[in-house]
């Protein structure tokens, strides 16, 4: 009788590894821009600071805070909202939300503004079009800022609208939530 050997590339139990890095997405963190260049990167620590620029309406600012506290707060990430952003140095604000135009037919975009080493970014930027601040899209773009990927970049690869991707579906439903697979991936990394 032959012995069965099982190996995994990660120390957590998520069925789908849709976080940087995995066997299907092993790209080094590269600086991006609002035009869609760059790579998906992890944030640099579990103490996650988020700033909402004044380009967001009050209701959108409140929605960002609620979504991030409710969806990412129960993970290994500690979600904080400082009153002022830090743009340079070792303690840069981790994630900056702004409102504005995005390329193509997208409603939102996330990019690394300050890559560090291998897979980590010191500061991510999110831009969402006016009128598009839905729970699902906020969760989706913030997910990219902690390293979560679409299904085509997951391991094993799944469809971009796979039911287990939660808000990381390529086109997230209005009320999409983080979901257990994404939470498992975040907890496994942070």
């Amino acid at each position: 009788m032959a012995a069965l050997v099982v190996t995994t590339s990660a120390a957590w139990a998520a069925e789908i590894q849709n976080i940087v890095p995995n066997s299907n997405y092993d790209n080094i963190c590269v600086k991006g821009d609002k035009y869609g260049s760059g790579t998906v990167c992890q944030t640099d620590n579990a103490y996650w600071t988020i700033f909402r620029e004044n380009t967001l309406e009050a209701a959108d600012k409140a929605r960002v805070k609620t979504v991030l506290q409710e969806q990412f707060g129960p993970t290994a990430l500690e979600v904080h909202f400082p009153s002022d952003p830090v743009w340079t140095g070792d303690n840069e604000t981790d994630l900056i939300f702004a409102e504005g135009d995005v390329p193509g037919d997208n409603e939102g975009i996330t990019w690394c503004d300050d890559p560090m080493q291998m897979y980590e970014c010191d500061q991510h930027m999110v831009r969402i079009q006016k009128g598009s601040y839905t729970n699902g899209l906020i969760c989706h773009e913030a997910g990219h800022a902690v390293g979560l990927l679409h299904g085509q970049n997951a391991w094993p690869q799944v469809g971009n609208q796979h039911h287990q991707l939660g808000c990381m579906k390529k086109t997230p439903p209005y009320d999409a939530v983080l979901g257990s697979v994404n939470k498992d991936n975040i907890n496994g990394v942070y």
Side-chain angles (χ1 to χ4, degrees):
M1 178 185 268
L4 176 65
V5 177
V6 177
T7 61
T8 62
S9 62
W12 63 93
E15 300 173 37
I16 299 170
Q17 294 175 22
N18 66 319
I19 198 162
V20 174
N22 67 47
S23 297
N24 193 36
Y25 190 95
D26 192 23
N27 299 347
I28 302 301
C29 184
V30 175
K31 182 177 175 80
D33 59 37
K34 63 183 178 182
Y35 303 107
S37 68
T39 56
V40 178
C41 312
Q42 297 174 6
T43 190
D44 64 329
N45 61 72
Y47 190 91
W48 202 31
T49 55
I50 296 102
F51 182 75
R52 298 151 297 156
E53 288 190 350
N54 289 331
T55 56
L56 279 70
E57 289 83 14
D60 293 337
K61 282 185 177 185
R63 185 180 301 237
V64 166
K65 186 172 187 176
T66 298
V67 168
L68 296 185
Q69 286 176 328
E70 290 178 357
Q71 298 302 314
F72 292 85
T75 70
L77 297 168
E78 292 180 45
V79 181
H80 302 274
F81 293 88
S83 57
D84 294 307
V86 177
W87 295 101
T88 60
D90 293 337
N91 293 315
E92 287 182 335
T93 303
D94 296 309
L95 180 57
I96 309 284
F97 273 86
E99 187 172 285
D101 293 332
V102 297
D105 60 356
N106 297 310
E107 293 180 295
I109 188 167
T110 302
W111 69 92
C112 175
D113 192 51
D114 189 9
M116 293 181 65
Q117 57 187 357
M118 293 297 289
Y119 308 108
E120 293 181 357
C121 179
D122 198 21
Q123 186 170 69
H124 281 92
M125 306 297 287
V126 167
R127 180 173 286 174
I128 295 178
Q129 292 187 132
K130 182 177 180 80
S132 297
Y133 272 84
T134 66
N135 292 3
L137 190 57
I138 292 165
C139 179
H140 182 93
E141 297 305 336
H144 284 316
V146 297
L148 293 174
L149 301 159
H150 297 146
Q152 70 190 23
N153 298 122
W155 181 257
Q157 188 175 35
V158 296
N160 283 335
Q161 295 303 111
H162 191 278
H163 69 279
Q164 287 185 299
L165 293 176
C167 69
M168 293 312 297
K169 291 178 180 177
K170 178 74 170 139
T171 305
Y174 174 88
D175 58 351
V177 297
L178 194 56
S180 62
V181 166
N182 294 323
K183 287 178 183 177
D184 286 348
N185 279 284
I186 289 168
N187 292 338
V189 168
Y190 298 97

